[in-house]
Amino acid sequence: MDRDSSNKAGKELDTEVVNARRGFLGKSAALGLAGATLGLAGCKEEGSAPKGSASASASAAAKGAGGHEIAPGQLDDYYAFTSAGHGGEARVIGLPSGRTLKRIPVFNVDCMVGWGITNESKKIMGTKADGSLEYITGDTHHVHASYKDGTYDGRFMWVNDKIHSRLARIRMDTMECDKITKLPNVMGFHGMFPDKCDPVDPKINYSTRVFCGAEFHIPLPNDGHDLNDPSKWGALFSCVNVDSMEVMWQVRVDGNMDLVATSYDGKLAASNQYNTENAHDLTGMMSSERDACVFFDVARIEALVKAGKFTTIGSSKVPVVDGRKAANPDPKTSITCYVPVGKNPHGVNASPDGKYFVCSGKLSPTATVIDLSLVHKWFAGELKTERDAVVAEPEIGLGPLHTAFDGRGNAYTSLFLDSQCVKWNVDAAIAQFKGDKNAKVIIEKMDVHYQPGHNYASMGETKEADGKYLNSGNKFSKDRFLPVGPLHPETEQLIDISGSAMKLVADHTAYSEPHDGIIVRRDVVKTRQIYNMDDFPNAVKQENAGITRQGNKVTVRMMSVAPNYSLPEIKIKKGDEVTLILTNHDKVEDLTHGCAIPTYNINFIVNPQETKSVTFKADHAGAYWIYCTHFCHALHLEMRSRLLVEA
């Protein structure tokens, strides 16, 4: 066989493999879910773009990739901030290049930067009485940023920890975590979103609260009682103060909460819900035809709290109000509104014009469009039923999950079972719902590889949605990359949505398991390159450098200036409790120093003008070279200090 014939045969085989893989994934997933839900509704295929092979998609991507390549030395147009799933961190990616710019440790231990090792990071993460970390695992799902005037302001980002129900705040100027809060009486903290302006004071046009949904029902309090009576279990919706990161209040709800969205006027927060049946097993969770999107009237909740009309749970002092349907019979005084949507919804997203929330069905082939003005009417007692707030519910595909927006009236929803992204028009969906049989709702469908979870668009969750890029985070890659053993890389596919048709720009591998993210214009993010030494109360300077002892507690205050530590030798005794404080006195951008102590499980970095510290027990004697782990100078290898532990 000649080379051309061989290449042709290879391409045909590739096409067969990919199509076979797609068919297998789609059928097996559909059958599995059908077994759990007693059947899936069908989905229309109108408006579908032709489905091509992997090679055809790659060819189309190559033709459409002009202008997307970022050459060496050029800067990306966007930052993508993504969660890392059970990796426990957040990640920073440049777009459209796909370059990994930074991994931000949050709930995980990171021995490069020293997160979970230094005293400062351990204080943020939380410790037990013996000083060890309370948790060393985390499960991040969603990253969202603070707002001003309906768009990102570059102050903070937040990321959740589903395992241990914690909310972390990340400073966007340093891209480092500075605060972690544990939510009381909550398990399975999944979705969260900051408000976009104050719900009470219209003059405050920036984020002041972060809303957090809990997915799992647990006994309240979870203290060992009622373990055999799940009918007494429940879930709480929490509100956290942006600045203090303290929990302000909680609301008990029906159902299991998933994701969270907030309105642009600041008055409403919402969470899509499954298990509105409040069941404790799969059969019970599937018994109702629909689930819900629950809306919270934030001002009414805070009025109840201010008036003292709340309870507390267990040892927590956080005010709790009852948002269950049975406790709120009158819309005019209700704090919650349960809008029926498709079964087992997964995702609720706000349109950039501020008019609508969109919930996807997951086990229904539909997306539910909810008009926020009608939700306000329901709270005012002017709407007959909660369902009357729904203005569209188009069939868009199998397994719809998350919806992004381009700012031009179009929505982009991930279709998990179809392994596609569907582009559809919101106004056309509303017209169709009103009876217009000629309304063309679905504009285009694009194959993604494979089974997408989250998708998100450039500036798509702000009023400045610019409709340039869409990222599809896919849960399976299979035959997309070189095999690396049983655990495959996952796929982030970047799609150009600036034109009339979607164009695949690139496949980016992703280490397991990325979830949601946001794409932010680079001009929004203003980072600092050098710390201010005076921001650190324990900063080491010439006047306080050295070694001090109080009994068996030794404090070592040391400075670093490339290629030297200020103390060439440190003498201590076996059994001492040692606190080492290190300040980087270099003022050159990107001149970071490391500090490692062999056999003592210590390694961390200090950036220019930064101070960090570690505390350890000198429990074994000997000579140990403290050395710089982060390349800093031509004499980097010679940058050392001797730690002498006397027996």
Side-chain angles (χ1 to χ4, degrees), residues 521-540:
R521 283 197 327 269
R522 72 184 190 191
D523 64 281
V524 174
V525 181
K526 308 293 185 184
T527 62
R528 60 193 305 177
Q529 307 307 309
I530 297 174
Y531 280 98
N532 181 352
M533 188 182 297
D534 293 332
D535 289 342
F536 301 91
N538 61 340
V540 181

Side-chain angles (χ1 to χ4, degrees), residues 46 60 66 76 175 195 218 263 266 305 361 364 402 406 426 497 510 520-521 526 543 566:
E46 73 269 17
D76 280 289
M175 297 193 188
D195 63 2
I218 57 173
S263 62
V305 172
S364 168
H402 303 281
D406 62 10
V426 176
I497 59 172
V520 182
R521 283 197 327 269
K526 308 293 185 184
E543 58 268 23
S566 62

Side-chain angles (χ1 to χ4, degrees), residues 558-588:
M558 189 163 66
M559 301 175 288
S560 63
V561 178
N564 291 294
Y565 295 118
S566 62
L567 298 175
E569 184 175 278
I570 301 166
K571 282 188 177 181
I572 57 176
K573 298 177 181 180
K574 182 181 177 181
D576 284 345
E577 180 184 285
V578 182
T579 297
L580 170 63
I581 307 171
L582 178 63
T583 298
N584 182 349
H585 276 249
D586 280 306
K587 296 182 179 180
V588 178

